[in-house]
């Protein structure tokens, strides 16, 4: 018998609501910017969006961006409504402003677009 499939593991923090986001941002270093990754995860496979984010961050040596993942199926309506999420989305936010507004929203996950978002959002 085959062993049951385990959920893929990522190094990204998982969030479900705006309160989680506030607590997470309180732990983020001053020289780090934040990207939220809203996904619909599958039990048995890694998410291509989080894989692409991690690969680009590693390849481009982007160490001043931190990523938090929001499972759209488990997330509270507050965080989905705030960022107007209705599909898989990557959102760069401004953690220094009240309410953490979106700076850039991305729904096209081609490597070029994701790389541009990450490179432009890294802390300078």
């Amino acid at each position: 018998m085959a062993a049951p499939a385990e959920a893929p593991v990522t190094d990204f923090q998982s969030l479900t609501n705006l309160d989680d986001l506030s607590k997470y941002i309180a732990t983020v270093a001053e020289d780090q910017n934040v990207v939220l990754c809203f996904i619909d995860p599958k039990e048995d496979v890694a998410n291509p969006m989080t894989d692409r984010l991690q690969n680009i961050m590693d390849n481009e040596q982007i160490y001043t961006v931190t990523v938090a993942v929001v499972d759209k199926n488990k997330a509270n309506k507050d965080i989905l409504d705030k960022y107007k999420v209705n599909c898989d989305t990557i959102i760069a936010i401004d953690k220094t402003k009240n309410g953490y507004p979106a700076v850039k929203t991305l729904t096209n996950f081609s490597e070029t677009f994701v790389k541009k978002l990450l490179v432009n959002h890294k802390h300078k």
Side-chain angles (χ1 to χ4, degrees):
M1 285 197 130
E6 292 185 21
V9 176
T10 68
D11 293 334
F12 302 137
Q13 176 70 38
S14 180
L15 308 175
T16 58
N17 56 47
L18 290 175
D19 189 48
D20 286 352
L21 176 60
S22 293
K23 290 175 186 173
Y24 173 65
I25 289 185
T27 69
V28 173
E30 190 174 313
D31 65 347
Q32 296 273 301
N33 283 332
V34 178
V35 170
L36 302 177
C37 181
F38 291 83
I39 61 171
D40 183 9
K42 307 295 183 230
E43 289 288 324
D44 53 347
V45 294
N47 186 285
M49 188 174 9
T50 55
D51 284 350
R52 177 155 293 154
L53 280 166
Q54 188 64 61
N55 288 340
I56 292 170
M57 290 171 68
D58 291 344
N59 292 340
E60 297 297 317
Q61 299 179 354
I62 298 173
Y63 305 115
T64 60
V65 171
T66 183
V67 176
V69 174
V70 180
D71 177 339
K72 295 185 317 186
N73 299 318
K74 296 178 182 174
N76 289 0
K77 193 172 176 4
D78 64 348
I79 195 164
L80 298 174
D81 288 350
K82 175 172 180 49
Y83 293 106
K84 299 175 179 74
V85 172
N86 57 11
C87 61
D88 286 0
T89 308
I90 300 173
I91 300 176
I93 65 170
D94 185 343
K95 70 174 186 160
T96 65
K97 292 201 172 125
N98 190 24
Y100 318 118
V103 175
K104 176 75 175 165
T105 300
L106 190 63
T107 56
N108 179 333
F109 310 117
S110 74
E111 189 166 344
T112 304
F113 288 119
V114 175
K115 180 178 173 180
K116 184 177 178 182
L117 178 136
L118 289 171
V119 167
N120 289 336
H121 196 57
K122 66 184 179 181
H123 192 274
K124 310 231 187 296

